[in-house]
Amino acid sequence: MGTPGGTVPDTRTASALSSPPCDKETEAERGMDPFEDTLQRLREAFSSGRTRPAEFRAAQLKGLGRFLQDNKQLLQEALAQDLRKSAFESEVSEISISQGEINLALRNLRAWMKDETVPKNLATQLDSAFIRKEPFGLVLIIAPWNYPLNLTLVPLVGALAAGNCVVLKPSEISKNTERVLVEVMPRYLDRSCFAVVLGGPEETGQLLEHKFDYIFFTGSPRVGKIVMAAAAKHLTPVTLELGGKNPCYVDDNCDAQTVANRVALFRYFNAGQTCVAPDYVLCSPEMQERLVPALQSAITRFYGEDPRASPDLGRIISEKHFQRLRGLLGCGRVAIGGQSEESDRYIAPTVLVDVQETEPVMQEEIFGPILPIVTVRSLDEAIDFINRREKPLALYTFSNSSQVVKQVLARTSSGGFCGNDGFMHLILASLPFGGVGASGMGSYHGKFSFDTFSHHRACLLRGPGMEKIYSIRYPPYSPRNLRMMLVAMEARSCSCTLL
């Protein structure tokens, strides 16, 4: 994922944009905290109970939907300026997914909020037992630059639906999209319960010194550790949506061109700057010989003879990331692509072969349009290769044999898994999206987002009477009462109404 980081020093909140900016040196001299007033205002709003009614939550979600509808062209232009994202990619991966999450939450909001009754045992048969979903309170969402709309709005939908007050920290690296989020979006939401804050790493660090009731972070594992350490000081729960190197195993028993079409689409989508993109291919030497020309064919059909001229191929977000990626082009041997142009932050769709496990391209998440192929001699060797490394955010397997796909699924661990395609599991709001181990913790999308931003409160309501029945719990203890208590406490549903 993208990481919060950069040099933008503006620490104003969206609600303060109409006022003259604060002088940072004066604030520092006076020991003032640029976030304190905003956070206090939001905490007071939450304490007032303003965000709890379903009507208020629905109004915020509808406002978010109007923001998307009213500013669609503005958002597409911002995404094009930041990442040279095509209108197709912006619509499919940013706007429509965000709108779909809003619509789903609006349709199901009251059902999600409803108390959830639970099975009871004999000891609680006369009681009311249920789970109440309560908002955490003041939550912080730190969003990345690679899908700066989707990865900001989708968690925001969950936080608002769950009834929280929200502080939103968009990435300053995708500065054009950030500008829209900061200057336009707050007009559509209740500013007493919502704020956007700006800044780079220094300001984000300062923000993290404050106590939040929940933190949702999307970014790199390196920054994720910083966020988690800051949260730990306040015992604040976190969701960390991180990244990693997503393996793609290609079995000998499959159609090379079909595999190439699908791998190329998902590797080069958004110029490869996708946390769930196939990061490297594992296949036999024989399959590599079939796959490389098929990948060349797919790349040419997708982006033309000169991919740089294609309106459908994005650009690298920044000079820093461009230089990092250009350094990886020296790994292995370039079989396809390899061209780059610094002035345009362009890196051609590239395939590397003869790649060794120890090379830099296999040591870090690539996050760009570069696809290394590593050869293995068998399925077992591929699975061993995958399991030696950190657990990935996604894992892909291509084979005509369902048994091969199921074997990889059964013998590995990853945040998500897809057989015979790329990251299509992301478009299903009925599936949780999240990592495991080094690729993250927690999940969201659809109802999972609502649940992530809700405290599941265990509730049991008992009447004041029936004291004679309940007295078997009291000392002095006896073997007979113990036997009765153990029977009554057994975890089973019971339709009896008498103890």
Side-chain angles (χ1 to χ4, degrees), residues 245-255 259-260 262-263 277-288 291 371-387 392 394-409 411-412 417-422:
K245 297 188 71 64
N246 306 311
C248 177
Y249 174 68
V250 181
D251 187 32
D252 284 350
N253 180 16
C254 59
D255 180 72
V259 174
R262 298 177 187 185
V263 170
D279 192 271
Y280 62 94
V281 167
L282 293 171
C283 67
S284 69
E286 294 76 21
M287 174 48 72
Q288 177 179 290
L291 194 57
L371 181 67
I373 299 179
V374 177
T375 57
V376 291
R377 291 165 296 191
S378 66
L379 173 61
D380 286 343
E381 185 179 335
I383 290 173
D384 288 344
F385 187 97
I386 293 167
N387 289 338
L395 198 160
Y396 306 101
T397 300
F398 289 85
S399 178
N400 288 337
S401 166
S402 63
Q403 292 306 309
V404 169
V405 175
K406 289 176 180 176
Q407 195 172 158
V408 177
L409 176 58
R411 295 170 59 189
T412 59
F417 181 92
C418 191
N420 290 308
D421 212 347

Side-chain angles (χ1 to χ4, degrees), residues 326-349:
R326 188 152 73 172
L328 298 180
L329 294 173
C331 299
R333 174 174 62 84
V334 174
I336 300 170
Q339 301 85 3
S340 63
E341 176 52 56
E342 185 173 355
S343 64
D344 195 24
R345 299 198 307 275
Y346 165 77
I347 291 181

